[in-house]
Amino acid sequence: MTAGTDDSKPAPSNVRGAAYPRIHADLRVTFQVSVPTATSVRLQPGGHESGLGSSTMDLARGEDGTWTVTTPPVLPGFYYYWLLVDGVAVNDPSSETYFGHGRSTSGLEVPDPSVDFYQIRDVRHGEVRTRWYRSETTGSWRRCLVYTPPAYDDDHTTRFPVLYLQHGAGEDERGWTTQGRANFILDNLIDAGAAKPMIVVMNNGYALEPGEVPTTPPYSPEQTARLADSFRDLILRDVVPVIDTAYRTVADRESRAIAGLSMGGRQALDVGLKGLDTFAAIAGLSAAVFDPIDPDRDYGGVLADADAFNERVRLLWLGAGTGERRFDEALASMESVLTKQGIRHQAYRSPGTAHEWQTWRRSLQALAPLLFRD
Amino acid sequence: MTAGTDDSKPAPSNVRGAAYPRIHADLRVTFQVSVPTATSVRLQPGGHESGLGSSTMDLARGEDGTWTVTTPPVLPGFYYYWLLVDGVAVNDPSSETYFGHGRSTSGLEVPDPSVDFYQIRDVRHGEVRTRWYRSETTGSWRRCLVYTPPAYDDDHTTRFPVLYLQHGAGEDERGWTTQGRANFILDNLIDAGAAKPMIVVMNNGYALEPGEVPTTPPYSPEQTARLADSFRDLILRDVVPVIDTAYRTVADRESRAIAGLSMGGRQALDVGLKGLDTFAAIAGLSAAVFDPIDPDRDYGGVLADADAFNERVRLLWLGAGTGERRFDEALASMESVLTKQGIRHQAYRSPGTAHEWQTWRRSLQALAPLLFRD
């Protein structure tokens, strides 16, 4: 199938000028790569059960040494993927790379013709600011990304609430804007009056204390606990004071929320529920919390007294995709404990999406309008 | 050679936790990658004559299927590179990728133990803001990066001059901060009082008019001219007004400079010299201007009248590395024409560096203190 003779278009995630991957009107995707020397080329979708499918696909060799495959129709969304060239994992030179799976990984954006809530539209846009700050917790300079809403510089007095928003395992602070398009989601919601103008702060979720050597998962329970402690220290001791100093925030707990996805969801629940002096709204998106919650033991016991909790917390929000069984079950388990405890909470389920960015884009779209309401 | 048993350290450009590439105290570099199925693996430095060397190097296979090579001592700097696995160009999964060579490409940062002018230091840091703007020239939303100096938000009245700063061919608007560390160079200069606090605006140098199909180099003379016209329109009609509206700039020509490297150097000279109503300082860093300048014909003839030019232009600055012969010769040719014409200008040569980021980091370090002086 030749580019330009059918209804297909280059994916928006292609590098400048690359003709492939191409997305067809029925959402089949054609990948093509030139590797004359290879004896086999396969397409490997990242993750499990995503809208790109879950198994590898063989590319077929053409006479000129290009290899091509067209997938069945896929679901709209963002997908990590790579190619297996004679078994070696390589990025597709035609696609942009995104930090996922602990490295720079090819990504494919499949537009959803039915929605534009995460597209750049003809509305006012906020900025995404890269800020460097010194962390006492890690003993290093760190980078965070800060979304400021479109009206931020309209005057010098208005103050804004702050959402702290965390990425998942193997990703970094760039994930929520680059893969997740959080800035465009907020721009569109704010333009429509559907969400309050807010600042969004995105940090790297890996925080090691000075001298600690980085390791890769799986982590022992002790490592997991130590990483959680470091990250909580980072947010509460380092980041929140930096943000409240550098930006025109409303510096009180009612105007701070913390949310995250997957590993970041577990972190958001941990930091938020143990940090109710700092946060009054807490959200776990596909939160990686797989052990049943024990209200008396977990999160410093704050879930034990429902009346006190409900009085103090403005929003406890949980989300998952219906296509990510393990996380959907984790959500159901959490809901059941919370309901039994009488803890007020809200839950959201993204229809048909798995452990992937489309779930989290939709989750942010559902969550943001609920934040910082009286 | 085993990691940790010698004086070597992981490169700062490694992804989180990756042990290789490792840099030795004498600046040899050890690369290692696990590809059990491969029959040959080679290291390919990007570009020509860079401090990483100019020819491919064979990696040697170990019993466990890891492939390793240690280079001779290299020069400090930033280098694009990739691996040739059985002849197929692949990125090194251990290194961050950077947009260069028209795609996501592995990069290696080799620290220079003798200087820290481009390192993050314990000084106040500016922000790098991502801004989206609507371009009438291209009929699309575009992204630019805007460095605001550390004091930008200290008050609401101070206005700042603006440097427009362009990347080279095959790179994009991220190059100057990610590869070039322009923000840290400016932070350090401003902290030392060596450069005036300034805003720096970095745009994608590729600007196609609506409907035009992206192509790849080499370009015909007509394409080159059309691309130059579109880019000049983009900067003068779209970008400058957006920046003067969105930021507290000093919106006059004496407080605007334009500079760029390689292709961006050619663009800076083109936009600046043909746009003296907008810019009063113009700099070409390793500018890709290979045809001898004709003062009567080129740049709208502004070089024909030296007195008028010298009266009007505060700074015309040219730089190159002594290790990039073609660009150094281009610089010498331009200097000779300018000197003969009586056009006041300054030239800088980076000792021993080639067509690579170390040349441009040093060039910015040399250029920035000269900007916006009375």
Side-chain angles (χ1 to χ4, degrees):
Chain A
M1 185 166 300
T2 309
T5 64
D6 59 18
D7 57 11
S8 66
K9 290 180 187 163
S13 43
N14 291 8
V15 299
R16 187 168 53 226
Y20 293 88
R22 299 184 74 80
I23 299 173
H24 302 261
D26 61 359
L27 300 191
R28 290 173 304 133
V29 184
T30 300
F31 294 83
Q32 185 173 97
V33 62
S34 174
V35 205
T37 55
T39 57
S40 98
V41 180
R42 282 182 295 153
L43 171 72
Q44 170 73 64
H48 306 291
E49 304 169 334
S50 82
L52 187 57
S54 52
S55 50
T56 60
M57 280 166 269
D58 284 309
L59 281 73
R61 191 182 197 286
E63 286 181 12
D64 56 355
T66 61
W67 296 74
T68 309
V69 68
T70 297
T71 70
V74 304
L75 293 175
F78 172 87
Y79 307 112
Y80 298 110
Y81 76 99
W82 51 93
L83 301 170
L84 296 167
V85 176
D86 294 337
V88 179
V90 310
N91 283 328
D92 184 345
S94 297
S95 288
E96 264 282 5
T97 55
Y98 303 83
F99 201 79
H101 297 270
R103 60 182 189 274
S104 281
T105 303
S106 297
L108 175 74
E109 177 72 36
V110 180
D112 186 339
S114 71
V115 296
D116 65 354
F117 74 87
Y118 56 82
Q119 302 297 355
I120 190 165
R121 296 200 331 229
D122 285 336
V123 301
R124 289 189 72 190
H125 298 286
E127 291 180 326
V128 177
R129 306 182 181 193
T130 303
R131 171 162 288 270
W132 285 264
Y133 64 95
R134 182 83 199 170
S135 163
E136 296 309 317
T137 303
T138 64
S140 63
W141 285 95
R142 288 173 69 91
R143 176 178 76 170
C144 67
L145 299 184
V146 180
Y147 167 82
T148 51
Y152 188 80
D153 280 328
D154 284 358
D155 63 57
H156 317 305
T157 52
T158 308
R159 293 185 161 269
F160 298 87
V162 185
L163 167 63
Y164 292 80
L165 186 62
Q166 287 302 125
H167 62 83
E171 297 175 335
D172 72 10
E173 66 274 25
R174 294 169 288 189
W176 262 110
T177 48
T178 307
Q179 289 93 306
R181 305 191 174 195
N183 51 314
F184 297 138
I185 294 172
L186 268 296
D187 287 343
N188 292 333
L189 286 170
I190 291 167
D191 181 71
K196 293 213 168 184
M198 66 184 78
I199 292 166
V200 183
V201 177
M202 293 152 283
N203 271 273
N204 192 307
Y206 296 90
L208 298 180
E209 291 180 16
E212 199 165 358
V213 177
T215 53
T216 50
Y219 300 117
S220 70
E222 293 70 27
Q223 280 178 309
T224 300
R226 208 164 59 240
L227 284 170
D229 288 345
S230 303
F231 181 74
R232 202 169 54 246
D233 284 347
L234 177 83
I235 295 295
L236 296 176
R237 293 197 318 199
D238 300 336
V239 174
V240 170
V242 161
I243 297 300
D244 282 337
T245 302
Y247 300 92
R248 293 196 317 279
T249 66
V250 186
D252 60 35
R253 61 181 293 280
E254 284 75 19
S255 302
R256 283 193 210 99
I258 186 163
L261 73 89
S262 196
M263 174 185 90
R266 191 182 67 228
Q267 292 173 319
L269 292 170
D270 182 68
V271 176
L273 292 173
K274 292 180 182 167
L276 292 182
D277 289 343
T278 305
F279 298 100
I282 299 143
L285 289 63
S286 310
V289 177
F290 301 117
D291 292 328
I293 292 176
D294 178 340
D296 295 319
R297 187 200 59 194
D298 293 333
Y299 304 119
V302 293
L303 300 174
D305 181 344
D307 287 344
F309 185 91
N310 292 338
E311 173 76 20
R312 198 143 185 240
V313 174
R314 301 179 79 172
L315 180 67
L316 176 59
W317 191 98
L318 300 168
T322 62
E324 49 174 343
R325 198 165 58 87
R326 192 167 172 229
F327 294 88
D328 199 13
E329 287 174 3
L331 169 51
S333 166
M334 284 187 272
E335 275 197 283
S336 133
V337 171
L338 295 172
T339 302
K340 189 172 164 195
Q341 275 305 107
I343 299 282
R344 198 174 55 234
H345 63 280
Q346 297 195 37
Y348 165 80
R349 282 181 172 79
S350 165
T353 59
H355 204 62
E356 56 182 295
W357 276 101
Q358 204 72 342
T359 298
W360 306 316
R361 291 170 175 172
R362 289 180 181 168
S363 294
L364 180 60
Q365 167 81 355
L367 167 64
L370 308 177
L371 294 173
F372 314 121
R373 299 293 181 186
D374 297 322
Chain B
M1 188 165 299
T2 309
T5 63
D6 60 18
D7 57 12
S8 67
K9 291 181 185 158
S13 43
N14 290 8
V15 299
R16 190 170 50 227
Y20 292 87
R22 300 183 75 79
I23 299 173
H24 301 262
D26 61 359
L27 301 192
R28 288 173 304 134
V29 185
T30 300
F31 294 83
Q32 186 172 96
V33 63
S34 174
V35 207
T37 55
T39 57
S40 97
V41 180
R42 282 183 296 154
L43 172 71
Q44 171 74 63
H48 305 291
E49 306 171 331
S50 83
L52 186 57
S54 53
S55 49
T56 61
M57 279 167 269
D58 283 309
L59 281 72
R61 192 183 196 284
E63 286 182 12
D64 56 355
T66 61
W67 296 73
T68 309
V69 68
T70 297
T71 70
V74 303
L75 292 176
F78 172 87
Y79 307 112
Y80 298 110
Y81 75 100
W82 51 92
L83 301 170
L84 296 167
V85 176
D86 294 338
V88 179
V90 310
N91 283 329
D92 184 344
S94 297
S95 288
E96 266 281 5
T97 55
Y98 302 83
F99 201 79
H101 296 269
R103 59 182 190 274
S104 282
T105 303
S106 297
L108 174 74
E109 178 71 36
V110 179
D112 185 339
S114 71
V115 296
D116 65 355
F117 74 87
Y118 57 82
Q119 302 297 355
I120 188 165
R121 297 201 329 228
D122 285 337
V123 301
R124 291 188 72 190
H125 298 285
E127 291 181 326
V128 178
R129 308 181 179 193
T130 304
R131 170 161 288 269
W132 285 264
Y133 64 96
R134 183 84 197 167
S135 163
E136 296 308 317
T137 304
T138 65
S140 63
W141 285 95
R142 289 174 68 93
R143 175 177 78 169
C144 67
L145 300 184
V146 180
Y147 167 83
T148 52
Y152 188 81
D153 280 328
D154 284 358
D155 65 58
H156 316 304
T157 50
T158 308
R159 293 184 162 270
F160 298 87
V162 185
L163 167 63
Y164 292 79
L165 186 61
Q166 287 302 123
H167 62 82
E171 298 176 335
D172 71 10
E173 66 274 25
R174 295 169 288 188
W176 262 111
T177 48
T178 307
Q179 289 94 305
R181 306 193 171 192
N183 52 312
F184 297 138
I185 293 172
L186 268 297
D187 287 343
N188 293 333
L189 286 171
I190 292 167
D191 181 72
K196 292 213 169 184
M198 65 184 80
I199 293 167
V200 184
V201 177
M202 293 153 284
N203 271 273
N204 193 307
Y206 296 90
L208 298 180
E209 290 180 15
E212 198 165 357
V213 177
T215 54
T216 49
Y219 300 116
S220 70
E222 292 70 27
Q223 281 178 308
T224 300
R226 207 163 63 243
L227 285 169
D229 288 346
S230 303
F231 181 74
R232 202 169 53 246
D233 284 348
L234 177 84
I235 294 295
L236 296 176
R237 294 197 320 199
D238 299 337
V239 174
V240 170
V242 161
I243 298 299
D244 282 336
T245 302
Y247 300 92
R248 294 196 315 280
T249 65
V250 186
D252 60 35
R253 60 182 294 281
E254 284 75 20
S255 303
R256 285 194 208 97
I258 186 163
L261 73 89
S262 195
M263 175 185 89
R266 191 182 65 229
Q267 292 174 319
L269 292 172
D270 183 68
V271 176
L273 292 173
K274 292 181 183 167
L276 292 182
D277 289 343
T278 304
F279 297 101
I282 299 143
L285 289 64
S286 310
V289 177
F290 301 117
D291 292 327
I293 293 176
D294 177 341
D296 294 319
R297 185 200 63 196
D298 293 334
Y299 304 120
V302 292
L303 300 175
D305 181 344
D307 287 344
F309 186 90
N310 291 338
E311 173 77 20
R312 200 145 182 238
V313 175
R314 300 179 79 172
L315 180 68
L316 176 58
W317 190 99
L318 301 169
T322 62
E324 50 173 342
R325 198 165 57 88
R326 194 168 170 230
F327 294 88
D328 198 14
E329 287 174 3
L331 169 51
S333 166
M334 283 187 273
E335 275 196 284
S336 132
V337 172
L338 294 173
T339 301
K340 190 173 163 195
Q341 273 309 105
I343 299 281
R344 199 175 52 233
H345 64 279
Q346 296 195 36
Y348 165 80
R349 282 179 171 81
S350 165
T353 60
H355 205 61
E356 55 183 296
W357 276 101
Q358 203 73 342
T359 299
W360 305 316
R361 291 170 174 171
R362 290 180 181 169
S363 295
L364 180 60
Q365 167 80 356
L367 167 64
L370 308 177
L371 295 173
F372 314 121
R373 300 294 181 183
D374 297 322

